[in-house]
Amino acid sequence: GRIRSGTTDGDQQRVRGVMKRATRKRATDRNEHQRMRVVLVVEDDKPIGDVVVDAINDEAGYTAVRVGNATDAMEALGSAPADLIVLDIHLPGMSGVELFDRLRSDDRYRHVPVIFETGTMHEHVQALRDRGVAMYVRKPFDLSDLVSYVKRLAPPFPPLRAATPRS
């Protein structure tokens, strides 16, 4: 398959499928006890991204998927909306800050909350402040802190009530 920044067509199809299933489940599955919040993790370091995805997926009411670059993030968002984005600043090609600017200039994504993650915060503090970004974590970060930020910016949906049979 075609390779783009280390992501194969199979990976791209998997991401699109997960995003679509999560959105469909969120919108239509009334047999579930809780609808799902969709979190897109944009992280080029696969082991870090996978740990973040696993931590979010361990939380009731959340489903997360990782992509490795800004192009794949835009493609995933075009397939299905996300409720929140965890965004690494240093990405191959377009940086996380550039992706954030692009998202904020598009009405479809303007209001999606973003949590930035970076290993070199001092370089980016002013750029983030200039953009009104208040939520970021510095690598290495505590996963419980990140998960609490996710829950604060995209609280879980309330549990769905089970359908009561009519007599």
Side-chain angles (χ1 to χ4, degrees):
R2 184 180 78 220
I3 296 180
R4 180 176 55 201
S5 300
T7 305
T8 65
D9 280 341
D11 291 337
Q12 291 166 2
Q13 289 173 353
R14 179 188 58 79
V15 167
R16 283 192 299 272
V18 168
M19 295 288 286
K20 285 180 181 176
R21 279 192 306 278
T23 302
R24 191 168 44 247
K25 185 175 193 176
R26 176 177 61 194
T28 63
D29 190 349
R30 301 296 180 222
N31 295 323
E32 290 293 320
H33 296 292
Q34 190 168 25
R35 294 179 291 170
M36 306 296 278
R37 288 282 187 194
V38 178
V39 179
L40 180 62
V41 177
V42 187
E43 169 62 70
D44 62 318
D45 187 328
K46 187 175 182 336
I48 291 173
D50 289 347
V51 168
V52 170
V53 164
D54 289 345
I56 294 168
N57 284 338
D58 284 345
E59 297 298 315
Y62 291 88
T63 186
V65 64
R66 183 194 74 84
V67 296
N69 60 60
T71 301
D72 289 347
M74 292 300 294
E75 189 171 318
L77 289 167
S79 297
D83 295 299
L84 182 130
I85 300 169
V86 176
L87 180 56
D88 188 14
I89 288 181
H90 292 288
L91 295 170
M94 183 189 310
S95 76
V97 174
E98 292 169 312
L99 175 58
F100 178 81
D101 290 343
R102 183 174 287 185
L103 294 171
R104 288 302 177 255
S105 69
D106 188 321
D107 288 338
R108 295 172 295 174
Y109 313 118
R110 176 172 287 136
H111 302 291
V112 177
V114 174
I115 301 171
F116 276 98
E117 59 176 53
T118 184
T120 56
M121 199 69 237
H122 63 278
E123 293 176 25
H124 303 286
V125 170
Q126 193 58 48
L128 295 179
R129 284 184 183 151
D130 290 346
R131 288 163 174 81
V133 173
M135 193 68 63
Y136 55 84
V137 293
R138 183 174 177 175
K139 296 176 189 173
F141 49 83
D142 186 318
L143 280 173
S144 62
D145 289 342
L146 179 62
V147 169
S148 75
Y149 296 151
V150 167
K151 288 179 167 183
R152 186 179 316 154
L153 292 175
F157 288 110
L160 296 171
R161 294 180 187 211
T164 55
R166 295 184 181 186
S167 305

